[in-house]
Amino acid sequence: MSTENEGTEGPAGQSAPSAPPVPPSVPPAAPDSAPYAGHPGLGGHTAHAPSTPAATDAPTQQVPPVSPTQQLPPVPPGPVAPAAAVPPMPPAAGHGSGGWPPPAAPWGAAAPGAPAPASRPRGLANGLLAAVIGAALIAGGVGGGIGYWAAEHGDGGGVSTTVSAGDAPADFKREPGTVAAVANKALPSVVTIEAKSGVAQGQPEGGTGTGFVYDREGHILTNNHVVASAADGGELSATFSDGKKYDAEVVGRAQGYDVAVLKLKNAPSGLTPLALGNSDRVAVGDSTIAIGAPFGLSNTVTTGIISAKNRPVASGDGSSGKNSYMSALQTDASINPGNSGGPLLDASGAVIGINSAIQSAGGSGLGQSQAGSIGLGFAIPINQAKNVAEQLIKTGQPVYPVIGATVNMSDENGAVIAAQGAGGSAAVTPDGPAAKAGLKAGDVITKFNGKAVDSGPTLISEIWNHKPGDTVTVTYKRDGKESTVDLTLGERKGDG
């Protein structure tokens, strides 16, 4: 399991080919539409994203060159009838007096002044005009049948079959509940965090992570491992989606929970906190939306579902040797280094978790990895994160619920109470919650408040879903016999 330590222009479309000179009586036809030029590629931030290929141009129909006027055979001598006066031909639509080519039309729009597409082939001679008008009603009746026959035989007859969606209206609105609507509302309340270690720590180090507005006073909720490098004399800043950047300071952080609270310096007025949901009511299969700065690409939105609930996760920052524990929400929304601390939203836009860790292919153990997402992301449930945040804002330090017993972290058949505690101390704290409940060294805790426990990390994750003073039910085995007792959780202050 790994946590993130946040840390061409496309070718222009070709112009319409020039038509050869034509007699004034045979004006050239206007092109169907102007070609579409490619757009600039996307540039990366921390890690350069690959250039986006230019949009593929729809093939523009080439205007066939006008055939030169045919030479007529010589007329034998004899009386010649007077030539009838031929009225001048009006200029072709779209030409006006500007000559060839006509003004280019935008992509998807007809050329200015161009006639509507006809329901018959073009190129009829003037001499057939009366016949064509006379047959218009008949052509209208059989056109559908002919079109169907041509489609079945793969013969388009040289007529384009593309369909234009037209210009999107300026006031186009996304329906509430769509990803676009949720993202549009949430993005102004999400920040990209930059952390730099203090100069006193040697060579400055830093990283990029994410956070979100927790309240109107300017508190930002994020992961501890995002800001840990700058917590002691370093520099922190938060940049909003509109590009405005503010200095920030650490109000409090909880390494065990992997939660931290920042405060913006000179916080702007009108901050909009993200609405907090209820992570206890989340169901497997619910839609999720993650917002963050993967590899420095700020304001990135990804989607997925809740893949599992109450997933016991122990994650580390790869440097301190200390782990964080959570009973996590698992999601397949793409989460990468830089997403840490960002919100995991439900379909209504409410925060249900804080993105914190990923499982990376080929990663070893619980350390730091810069590998990408494989669809296994983990978020701290917001109900737990909210309790921690309120405590940090109130006192500046975390408070952990405890059972007063040291358990082995490597066993996989339950949480085994160790033979002794840290530094040779007693494994079961005298007069602590576990001692009062009758637990002893060697006991194997198999259930906690009705939920199965298969290891020490799982037990800690479940304990930290509660508050000090909560009464819970503990099931354990001793000498092969299973027993159940009630236990009132104690507390531990700080990350000592």
Side-chain angles (χ1 to χ4, degrees):
M1 197 68 59
S2 63
T3 57
E4 310 83 53
N5 204 4
E6 295 43 56
T8 59
E9 184 119 1
Q14 297 179 350
S15 60
S18 299
V22 297
S25 61
V26 187
D32 291 337
S33 62
Y36 176 70
H39 58 80
L42 171 68
H45 179 53
T46 299
H48 293 288
S51 298
T52 303
T56 303
D57 291 347
T60 54
Q61 293 185 342
Q62 300 296 323
V63 180
V66 180
S67 302
T69 305
Q70 294 181 348
Q71 298 295 325
L72 300 178
V75 181
V80 179
V86 180
M89 291 287 290
H95 286 215
S97 60
W100 180 268
W107 177 262
S119 59
R120 57 182 173 81
R122 289 178 289 178
L124 294 175
N126 291 337
L128 299 180
L129 180 60
V132 171
I133 295 176
L137 295 179
I138 299 177
V142 301
I146 293 175
Y148 175 79
W149 182 90
E152 287 293 297
H153 290 74
D155 184 5
V159 179
S160 173
T161 59
T162 59
V163 178
S164 173
D167 295 332
D171 59 347
F172 182 78
K173 295 181 180 179
R174 272 72 183 176
E175 292 296 327
T178 62
V179 174
V182 170
N184 184 63
K185 183 177 180 180
L187 277 169
S189 299
V190 179
V191 298
T192 299
I193 298 173
E194 293 184 26
K196 296 180 180 180
S197 62
V199 177
Q201 295 172 291
Q203 184 68 26
E205 296 181 356
T208 301
T210 309
F212 60 92
V213 178
Y214 181 72
D215 58 25
R216 292 183 175 84
E217 284 68 48
H219 289 110
I220 303 295
L221 195 54
T222 185
N223 282 146
N224 172 67
H225 75 260
V226 170
V227 303
S229 63
D232 299 317
E235 297 179 0
L236 286 169
S237 65
T239 304
F240 285 81
S241 60
D242 61 2
K244 294 181 180 179
K245 186 175 183 178
Y246 299 87
D247 291 334
E249 59 186 355
V250 176
V251 171
R253 58 194 187 97
Q255 182 273 325
Y257 292 119
D258 198 18
V259 172
V261 176
L262 309 182
K263 180 73 178 293
L264 299 178
K265 298 179 180 179
N266 300 317
S269 59
L271 288 174
T272 303
L274 288 183
L276 304 184
N278 186 344
S279 52
D280 290 341
R281 295 183 180 178
V282 170
V284 172
D286 282 352
S287 297
T288 58
I289 301 171
I291 303 180
F295 296 103
L297 299 174
S298 301
N299 310 314
T300 295
V301 178
T302 56
T303 63
I305 62 169
I306 293 292
S307 304
K309 293 179 62 177
N310 303 315
R311 185 72 78 190
V313 173
S315 61
D317 60 11
S319 60
S320 67
K322 296 180 180 180
N323 290 329
S324 301
Y325 301 91
M326 69 185 100
S327 183
L329 297 175
Q330 180 181 327
T331 181
D332 66 346
S334 183
I335 297 175
N336 289 284
N339 275 105
S340 278
L344 184 69
L345 309 174
D346 63 15
S348 71
V351 182
I352 55 174
I354 301 177
N355 300 317
S356 181
I358 60 173
Q359 176 68 54
S360 298
S364 57
L366 309 174
Q368 164 72 19
S369 173
Q370 287 294 312
S373 171
I374 58 172
L376 295 174
F378 304 95
I380 303 166
I382 194 60
N383 289 9
Q384 181 189 66
K386 178 182 178 181
N387 292 337
V388 177
E390 292 295 334
Q391 190 67 44
L392 293 176
I393 293 173
K394 182 179 180 180
T395 68
Q397 63 177 342
V399 176
Y400 298 93
V402 297
I403 63 170
T406 301
V407 296
N408 294 330
M409 303 302 288
S410 57
D411 292 293
E412 297 182 355
N413 295 316
V416 181
I417 298 179
Q420 62 181 17
S425 61
V428 178
T429 304
D431 204 33
K436 291 179 178 179
L439 296 176
K440 299 180 180 180
D443 288 347
V444 181
I445 299 175
T446 58
K447 290 183 180 180
F448 187 87
N449 238 24
K451 295 182 178 179
V453 173
D454 58 6
S455 65
T458 301
L459 175 63
I460 295 175
S461 298
E462 289 296 336
I463 292 172
W464 286 358
N465 275 335
H466 296 270
K467 297 179 181 179
D470 288 350
T471 298
V472 296
T473 301
V474 176
T475 300
Y476 66 96
K477 286 183 178 180
R478 180 186 297 166
D479 299 329
K481 181 181 178 181
E482 190 172 79
S483 302
T484 299
V485 295
D486 289 336
L487 181 151
T488 301
L489 297 174
E491 72 175 26
R492 185 194 83 203
K493 294 183 178 180
D495 277 317

